[in-house]
Amino acid sequence: MSILLLNGPNLNLLGTREPHIYGADTLADVERRFIDEAKSLGFAAQCFQSNHEGALIDRIHAARLDGTRGFVINPGGLTHTSVALRDAFAGVALPVMEVHVSNVHKREEFRHHSYISGIAEGVIAGLGVMGYSAALRFLAAKLSKA
């Protein structure tokens, strides 16, 4: 069983972009820990990051056929703008966990709405990169019970 970690626009800059908000861990650090932790939970993990909405949607569609059983996603700025990303998740009908490194509710008003949250199993915000681990653990437990 495989879980796919998706990261949207600008998350390739983790560790250097606004470290006072996002911390010092790089995307490579996050992905390495995610893969290792998934393995310890009995799952395989794949990771994909893109700054392009269409590339993320194509990867979500491909997950229907590659053994992916669920998603953890940090959609970045697409959280607040992308109906198409939401529809891609709805179309593949696999469980989704939404993650945000910062607490989006303590930030600008436009960040308070998510198109993904309404179809997600859960939303984790403000735990820093530890949120990825919390989302993975929840999703792994859910999938193990199914």
Side-chain angles (χ1 to χ4, degrees):
M1 291 193 291
S2 184
I3 295 174
L4 178 58
L5 172 62
L6 297 168
N7 278 284
N10 300 311
L11 288 155
N12 55 303
L13 298 177
L14 278 176
T16 60
R17 175 188 174 210
E18 300 174 281
H20 63 285
I21 295 174
Y22 299 106
D25 290 308
T26 67
L27 182 59
D29 297 332
V30 168
E31 290 177 341
R32 185 175 45 257
R33 281 194 299 269
F34 191 90
I35 290 168
D36 290 347
E37 189 167 6
K39 188 175 186 179
S40 75
L41 296 169
F43 287 82
Q46 298 175 38
C47 302
F48 182 79
Q49 186 277 329
S50 181
N51 293 318
H52 305 281
E53 182 179 35
L56 290 163
I57 291 168
D58 287 344
R59 185 63 188 94
I60 293 164
H61 290 176
R64 291 183 307 157
L65 305 173
D66 71 2
T68 296
R69 299 282 311 278
F71 302 97
V72 172
I73 184 168
N74 183 338
L78 294 174
T79 303
H80 324 291
T81 64
S82 184
V83 173
L85 192 61
R86 179 244 179 253
D87 288 349
F89 283 123
V92 299
L94 295 170
V96 179
M97 286 294 295
E98 180 181 350
V99 173
H100 300 282
V101 174
S102 69
N103 181 350
V104 293
H105 300 288
K106 287 179 67 175
R107 299 184 64 196
E108 304 92 342
E109 182 70 28
F110 72 86
R111 295 186 194 276
H112 298 181
H113 177 264
S114 167
Y115 282 100
I116 308 302
S117 295
I119 60 166
E121 299 292 319
V123 179
I124 298 168
L127 300 183
V129 296
M130 289 174 37
Y132 289 101
S133 176
L136 172 61
R137 288 182 174 280
F138 177 86
L139 188 57
K142 180 178 179 59
L143 293 172
S144 293
K145 290 179 185 174

